[in-house]
Amino acid sequence: MTQLRIALLQMDIALGQPEVNQAKAREWVEKAAAAGTDLIVLPEMWNTGYSLQNIKEVADRNGEQTRAMMSELARTYNVNIHAGSVSDLRDGQVYNTTYLFDRKGQVTGTYSKVHLFRLMDEEKYLQGGDRLGEFTVDGVQIGSMICYDLRFPELSRTMVLNGAQALFVPAEWPHPRLNHWRHLQIARAIENQTFVISCNRVGFGGETEFFGHSMVIDPWGEILLEADETEGIHHVTIDLSVVPEIRSRIPIFEDRRPELYK
Ligand SMILES: NC(=O)CCC(=O)C(=O)O
């Protein structure tokens, strides 16, 4: 598989209303699948948004609702789903967790955000994960981060050294940091010679305004897609054969001096 058709669901999210968000996610997944795609990507915490004050009440218990719904959709439409992330309650703690579904509806991996974002009080309400988000989609190795994780180059580098050819970033990244959002993704793509694919929400969560601008960047740093600030489904096809081609043009992985970096 060298080409991967990707659909990004750049949605608004109703704060603390999982039923509303689940109904919308279902409708949008069906729409994206009908248009023809290999992989559907959702934004961060799309089930509840940052409804942190009551997150234990609204979070998905053991990800059960997310797993039931996305598994059924993936199987019905024969499509892979990167279910962004959801707030999920496990053993009395709430995590910010990605679930990945294959075309048969099997969960092929989970990842809980490891870097909690203090500016949005995550560390007060959420528990950080302790494993990397390394998955396979139709035979393609990918790495998955969540939002603030994008600021940690060590994380993406580690997953790329382990074989990731594309890095996914579901997000709830707000104004006024559009500049950081764009440049960090372009940097991660160029420095790792990999695709970077992000899906950011739009709309307001309380006073905080999220700007969308979901992006797809190729391993040369070219922007293949940059969405606007409105809701919508965005389709892009990436050609993975450019990854080895660019890596042989500038062989950074051969030129690294890891013995000096500690
Ligand atoms: N949800 C998040 O992790 C937001 C990260 C963010 O806004 C940033 O500037 O970093």
Side-chain angles (χ1 to χ4, degrees):
M1 154 84 53
T2 61
Q3 300 218 320
L4 201 59
R5 295 169 302 165
I6 296 169
L8 305 176
L9 310 192
Q10 181 172 290
M11 353 172 347
D12 193 356
I13 293 166
L15 193 64
Q17 297 180 66
E19 303 81 17
V20 173
N21 296 318
Q22 281 156 2
K24 182 188 225 165
R26 172 181 285 280
E27 187 191 320
W28 284 37
V29 166
E30 288 174 343
K31 223 185 266 180
T37 187
D38 299 307
L39 174 63
I40 296 173
V41 187
L42 285 91
E44 180 183 18
M45 296 259 275
W46 60 266
N47 60 335
T48 56
Y50 275 83
S51 189
L52 294 177
Q53 307 290 339
N54 66 341
I55 199 71
K56 281 200 173 164
E57 284 95 78
V58 293
D60 189 3
R61 278 163 179 61
N62 299 309
E64 275 162 22
Q65 292 178 341
T66 304
R67 282 191 277 134
M69 180 173 92
M70 291 299 170
S71 169
E72 176 218 316
L73 289 167
R75 200 172 49 245
T76 304
Y77 294 101
N78 184 32
V79 70
N80 300 285
I81 301 178
H82 182 308
S85 77
V86 292
S87 53
D88 73 327
L89 181 65
R90 276 179 276 138
D91 300 327
Q93 304 278 7
V94 181
Y95 295 81
N96 183 344
T97 301
T98 293
Y99 288 87
L100 193 89
F101 300 85
D102 69 12
R103 292 174 186 273
K104 294 194 169 77
Q106 306 283 345
V107 175
T108 54
T110 65
Y111 164 68
S112 293
K113 186 176 189 177
V114 294
H115 301 104
L116 299 179
F117 189 51
R118 290 170 204 269
L119 261 65
M120 284 160 60
D121 286 340
E122 280 192 316
E123 86 293 356
K124 295 196 183 116
Y125 298 93
L126 305 181
Q127 185 70 30
D130 56 10
R131 282 187 295 112
L132 302 184
E134 298 179 310
F135 311 130
T136 302
V137 175
D138 285 352
V140 177
Q141 238 178 292
I142 68 160
S144 200
M145 301 183 268
I146 300 177
C147 205
Y148 181 50
D149 285 336
L150 180 63
R151 291 187 182 271
F152 298 84
E154 306 89 337
L155 180 61
S156 43
R157 175 65 102 209
T158 301
M159 294 193 290
V160 167
L161 288 174
N162 290 343
Q165 299 186 62
L167 297 169
F168 285 76
V169 194
E172 289 209 30
W173 195 299
H175 283 298
R177 296 183 295 281
L178 176 56
N179 194 31
H180 295 194
W181 169 251
R182 298 183 77 253
H183 288 96
L184 284 165
Q185 289 182 77
I186 296 167
R188 295 295 89 86
I190 295 172
E191 75 196 359
N192 291 302
Q193 301 177 317
T194 187
F195 284 94
V196 172
I197 295 134
S198 64
C199 184
N200 193 27
R201 69 163 288 189
V202 296
F204 282 85
E207 300 284 289
T208 308
E209 186 179 11
F210 299 93
F211 49 65
H213 284 264
S214 300
M215 297 179 82
V216 178
I217 301 159
D218 80 7
W220 194 248
E222 298 297 336
I223 297 171
L224 304 184
L225 170 101
E226 180 168 359
D228 60 13
E229 303 204 2
T230 61
E231 281 196 304
I233 301 177
H234 297 274
H235 292 267
V236 172
T237 299
I238 62 170
D239 179 0
L240 291 140
S241 67
V242 303
V243 174
E245 193 264 306
I246 284 167
R247 289 183 184 176
S248 65
R249 219 189 298 170
I250 305 182
I252 62 163
F253 291 99
E254 287 170 39
D255 295 339
R256 292 175 70 243
R257 296 284 309 279
E259 72 278 13
L260 301 178
Y261 302 156
K262 298 229 155 103

